[in-house]
Amino acid sequence: MRLLASAILWTHAAAGAIWVGACACFVIAGLALSSGSDEQRNFVQSAAPRIDLLGLVAAIVLLVTGFINLMTAGVARRFIFSTAFMSVLAIKIALFIAMIVVMTWSMRIGAVIRSVIARGRDDAVPGAMTRMTRAHLAIVAMGALALILGTWLMGS
């Protein structure tokens, strides 16, 4: 049973790292691609949705494994948690919700811009790419904080 709990904990940490890492890759590409270039348009059309899908799958795994980890910790502690533990957990949950909101907002921008491109208009790509890059940067920042808080939870 201990091995399973360990595997779930590491799966949770890996899912968080994959989500944040995918968003960091998006940010790097967003900053590296020339505004209005064919490469930027191609990124928005094909790579961005794949990166977002990877992030979304990682977020789902993160949610499921986080719940299992909480239940495991609850059983071990008879669901008696310290105030500090609950405060950190509440911050992590709030960060997760904010990250999901930002991710869905960015994905909606991506879907809209892809439909605009399909109609032959490329002029809106640079602005959309800027907004999506900023959204992914926000996810990276929030995710980094959540990962740091997670290391504290592991030790408590």
Side-chain angles (χ1 to χ4, degrees):
M1 191 62 164
R2 183 81 181 126
L3 182 62
L4 179 61
S6 237
I8 292 169
L9 179 64
W10 282 105
T11 301
H12 182 73
I18 289 168
W19 188 11
V20 171
C23 289
C25 288
F26 191 107
V27 170
I28 291 167
L31 295 173
L33 296 171
S34 298
S35 183
S37 66
D38 288 343
E39 291 82 13
Q40 187 181 54
R41 185 192 70 243
N42 293 339
F43 179 84
V44 167
Q45 284 182 297
S46 60
R50 291 180 185 142
I51 292 170
D52 286 343
L53 179 61
L54 175 62
L56 193 57
V57 169
I60 292 167
V61 170
L62 191 69
L63 179 65
V64 171
T65 56
F67 179 77
I68 294 169
N69 284 331
L70 180 59
M71 291 302 106
T72 302
V75 168
R77 293 180 174 102
R78 297 182 186 182
F79 291 93
I80 300 171
F81 297 111
S82 69
T83 303
F85 182 94
M86 293 304 294
S87 297
V88 170
L89 181 62
I91 293 168
K92 282 185 56 106
I93 291 169
L95 285 168
F96 180 83
I97 291 168
M99 290 168 70
I100 289 291
V101 168
V102 171
M103 182 85 162
T104 55
W105 176 72
S106 178
M107 290 173 80
R108 277 195 307 258
I109 292 170
V112 168
I113 198 61
R114 282 187 295 281
S115 70
V116 168
I117 292 170
R119 291 192 301 266
R121 287 196 45 227
D122 292 347
D123 58 322
V125 172
M129 188 65 184
T130 297
R131 290 190 301 280
M132 290 188 299
T133 300
R134 287 180 182 158
H136 284 80
L137 181 59
I139 294 168
V140 169
M142 289 184 283
L145 179 57
L147 287 168
I148 291 167
L149 291 172
T151 59
W152 182 88
L153 283 180
M154 283 177 32
S156 66

